[in-house]
Amino acid sequence: MTTVNGTTPYASNVPTAPTAQPETGAEFNSFLQLLTAQLRNQDPLAPLDSTQFVEQLATFSSLEQDVKSNTSLETIAARMDELYAIAASQWIGQTVSVESTWEPFSGNPLPFAVDIPENADTAILSVKDETGKTVWTKELEAGTETFTWNGENQTSEEPSAAGNYKFGVDIYISDEYAGTVAPRVTAG
């Protein structure tokens, strides 16, 4: 910078180059420079063990690979998000039925469907809150496929609060437990 009459020109008008992130290769070159400086400046009467240098190099190489892997994973994740958006756009305006055990409840009735096997003697729906406490159970009628839970709560007089609830339908055949199925929630 030049000075005129002992004064310095106003520096904020001078454009500055954006600072670039060092590339992985530049970091490796920096490591090699540090390693060379370490070798030059070591005590000749007590030289460092060569295995320490190999360990440092291996550690740095591993770190370099981790940085490259993270960059690649970020790129893959971004591409997957784009693919999910493209796939989801095909369902706009459609009615979708999703099998799920956890459902958000906002105070509005929650419609769901259950495929009860024909040979089932009993099907019992249980609804649990986020802490795992059962708030509602009901025996479902065989042959019926669609049901609604409106926040009924068997543990208190008040309806269930808004939140996530776990749904499960226990199936019994000949009074023996045959398994639990998840209901299908319909959105559209």
Side-chain angles (χ1 to χ4, degrees):
M1 216 182 283
T2 59
T3 59
V4 178
N5 297 333
T7 61
T8 306
Y10 191 68
S12 68
N13 290 336
V14 179
T16 59
T19 58
Q21 296 293 328
E23 295 199 19
T24 306
E27 291 173 357
F28 186 72
N29 288 336
S30 297
F31 173 76
L32 290 178
Q33 288 174 352
L34 287 171
L35 184 63
T36 305
Q38 187 176 12
L39 286 171
R40 262 192 230 129
N41 297 315
Q42 70 178 334
D43 182 4
L45 298 176
L48 294 175
D49 186 11
S50 62
T51 58
Q52 290 177 337
F53 293 119
V54 173
E55 288 174 1
Q56 290 175 359
L57 183 60
T59 301
F60 186 79
S61 178
S62 174
L63 176 64
E64 184 180 26
Q65 289 302 316
D66 288 347
V67 168
K68 287 180 180 179
S69 295
N70 286 343
T71 303
S72 296
L73 288 173
E74 288 172 0
T75 303
I76 290 169
R79 297 295 180 250
M80 288 181 70
D81 286 344
E82 292 170 4
L83 289 174
Y84 288 143
I86 291 169
S89 68
Q90 297 174 10
W91 294 100
I92 294 175
Q94 302 290 322
T95 300
V96 179
S97 179
V98 179
E99 189 174 287
S100 176
T101 55
W102 286 95
E103 294 303 326
F105 177 71
S106 61
N108 297 326
L110 186 63
F112 61 93
V114 178
D115 293 324
I116 301 172
E118 291 180 19
N119 60 343
D121 297 320
T122 309
I124 299 175
L125 170 71
S126 63
V127 180
K128 298 179 181 182
D129 64 14
E130 291 174 335
T131 65
K133 178 181 170 187
T134 301
V135 296
W136 190 61
T137 60
K138 180 178 180 177
E139 186 172 338
L140 302 178
E141 296 179 29
T144 307
E145 290 185 3
T146 58
F147 305 92
T148 302
W149 180 64
N150 60 6
E152 295 171 282
N153 191 329
Q154 294 171 336
T155 61
S156 79
E157 297 291 324
E158 298 294 319
S160 298
N164 290 320
Y165 289 86
K166 185 175 183 178
F167 287 68
V169 180
D170 295 327
I171 305 295
Y172 294 88
I173 299 172
S174 301
D175 294 330
E176 288 189 33
Y177 176 73
T180 301
V181 296
R184 290 186 325 274
V185 177
T186 304

